[in-house]
Amino acid sequence: MSRLLAPLTRAVTYTRWLHLLVGSVIALVCAMVYPGLVRPGFWDWVQMLLIPVPLLLAAALVPVLRRAEGLQARMMLFPGAHSRVEDGPRGSEVSVAPSASWRDRARTAAWLVLRLWAGCGTAFVSVQLMAFTLQLVDASSGGSAEGESLIRVPVHGWACALLVPVPPLVLIYVVAFAGRLMAAASLGLLGPSAAERLAALEERTEQLLERNRIARELHDSIGHALTVAVVQAGAARAAADPAFTDRALDAIEETGRAALEDLERVLLVLRESGQPASRRPTLTEADRLLDSARASGAEVDAEVLGALDSVPGPVSREGYRILQEALTNVLRHSGTVPIRVAVTVDDARLWLDVRNPLPAGAPVNGQGSGSGLRGIRERAALLGGRARTGPDGGQWRVHVELPLG
């Protein structure tokens, strides 16, 4: 029963009715200014439907008109804040972009003509059924029951009062059905073109890539800071040496400050505040990572061959994050063990190699399934390089090769 009464209570039924009636306005204007259409007959009605068509076809050539029609369709043909329904709106499937091709203009022209004819039909039915309702009211009070409606009152007297609600109900259901058809037609004629769908897909892909990059940034930066802080705090407590404790606290402070800078930079991007984000660290600042690992108690042997400042910015920034995650992975899973770091730069490539002894009971095969190691492989792949992670001769090895081109 509620489903049957839904068209009566849904506000979108009446916004669709208004949308249909507005489509007939241009025909009514033509009827008022065009000679011979003041009291139209059958052929005059046909002329009213045809005379505005050239005007609509010319208007469809204006690119911005497609956007105006799309906005109207979104607001008036689909459920939204104005509609008492729980189902999600499909209005977002209607494009609000200006016409970008002749195909878009042709679809807009077809929509305008359809809206004209559907609006005239809806206006005609509305006038006839409302006039018939007035005739029933007149007949129920003993009047002549004559009017402009093409439908004649079948009975006279008090029985007409029982029929008074029928024409308005029929009108609402007819309008609801016509509105549903127009909403469906708008999805086809005002929906996004193939180029718009491709652009939307590319934008969505860019958003997902950016979210993935931000997730990696937060994981590497914050994860490294927390790992170093935990390891250093534990080492300081175990050492019970005031001098070592002071060095550990200094390292925790420096690492935490760097992590806060990274966090603020990422938050600026997420907020889209318009302010320039702070510079991301590069491999030229790798000493900060190595000193942080040494302050945790690990013995770090580093070798750098080549000029790090000659590495292109994107490669250097991603290389920094890869080295950061590799060191974090060692401290998190192996503790303060000896670490061998080798960074090599030539004219074409950058090599990063991080090795550490495998802890007792560690697997001797596989490449690791943690999100950090997966992030290393993803970063390398995005730059056209490759990364290998896993056991190698009793050691855990992270070996990354990145092209500089």
Side-chain angles (χ1 to χ4, degrees), residues 358 364-368 373 388-392 395-399:
L358 279 172
V364 295
N365 52 27
Q367 61 178 358
L373 296 177
R388 296 191 302 273
T389 61
D392 181 17
Q395 293 183 316
W396 183 269
R397 184 186 185 192
V398 175
H399 182 78

Side-chain angles (χ1 to χ4, degrees), residues 40-105:
F42 174 76
W43 290 110
D44 295 316
W45 275 104
V46 173
Q47 293 182 65
M48 286 179 62
L49 295 177
L50 296 179
I51 289 175
V53 170
L55 299 176
L56 297 178
L57 296 180
L61 299 178
V62 181
V64 75
L65 185 64
R66 182 176 179 81
R67 181 175 186 177
E69 291 295 324
L71 290 172
Q72 289 185 63
R74 279 192 178 189
M75 291 187 294
M76 304 182 73
L77 293 181
F78 294 92
H82 60 280
S83 181
R84 302 173 187 174
V85 291
E86 296 180 358
D87 52 87
R90 298 188 64 193
S92 58
E93 299 179 26
V94 175
S95 173
V96 293
S99 299
S101 65
W102 287 105
R103 179 178 175 84
D104 288 346
R105 293 181 176 89

Side-chain angles (χ1 to χ4, degrees), residues 91-341:
S92 58
E93 299 179 26
V94 175
S95 173
V96 293
S99 299
S101 65
W102 287 105
R103 179 178 175 84
D104 288 346
R105 293 181 176 89
R107 294 166 66 204
T108 305
W111 166 256
L112 292 175
V113 174
L114 174 62
R115 189 178 178 188
L116 165 68
W117 293 348
C120 289
T122 302
F124 178 79
V125 172
S126 300
V127 170
Q128 293 298 316
L129 288 178
M130 292 174 68
F132 183 55
T133 302
L134 295 177
Q135 289 178 222
L136 289 174
V137 173
D138 189 33
S140 65
S141 60
S144 61
E146 295 182 358
E148 297 293 333
S149 175
L150 299 178
I151 309 173
R152 297 307 173 192
V153 177
V155 295
H156 294 272
W158 62 270
C160 292
L162 301 177
L163 299 176
V164 169
V166 175
L169 290 176
V170 172
L171 176 59
I172 291 176
Y173 282 104
V174 169
V175 167
F177 180 71
R180 290 177 66 90
L181 293 180
M182 285 297 292
S186 69
L187 296 176
L189 296 176
L190 295 179
S193 62
E196 291 173 340
R197 292 181 186 277
L198 180 60
L201 180 61
E202 290 177 347
E203 180 180 359
R204 176 60 176 166
T205 302
E206 289 294 331
Q207 291 175 351
L208 292 177
L209 289 174
E210 181 66 13
R211 289 174 59 182
N212 193 30
R213 187 186 69 80
I214 290 175
R216 288 198 305 267
E217 288 282 319
L218 289 176
H219 175 274
D220 293 350
S221 178
I222 306 303
H224 174 78
L226 292 177
T227 299
V228 169
V230 169
V231 172
Q232 289 173 337
R237 174 178 293 180
D241 181 358
F244 183 85
T245 300
D246 289 341
R247 291 196 301 271
L249 291 175
D250 290 340
I252 291 174
E253 180 183 4
E254 181 180 355
T255 304
R257 186 179 295 111
L260 287 175
E261 292 176 358
D262 289 338
L263 179 62
E264 180 63 24
R265 176 180 52 77
V266 172
L267 291 178
L268 281 175
V269 175
L270 292 176
R271 295 191 192 108
E272 296 181 346
S273 61
Q275 301 178 8
S278 58
R279 183 183 60 86
R280 295 170 58 194
T282 64
L283 275 177
T284 57
E285 304 169 61
D287 288 343
R288 186 172 67 179
L289 296 176
L290 302 176
D291 292 340
S292 177
R294 292 188 181 102
S296 301
E299 179 183 344
V300 181
D301 182 13
E303 180 182 15
V304 178
L305 299 177
L308 293 180
D309 54 2
S310 66
V311 179
V315 179
S316 186
R317 288 190 290 268
E318 295 302 322
Y320 179 93
R321 292 304 185 194
I322 290 173
L323 178 59
Q324 183 181 54
E325 177 54 35
L327 293 174
T328 302
N329 190 65
V330 175
L331 295 175
R332 181 181 299 155
H333 298 288
S334 300
T336 55
V337 298
I339 305 173
R340 168 69 178 172
V341 177

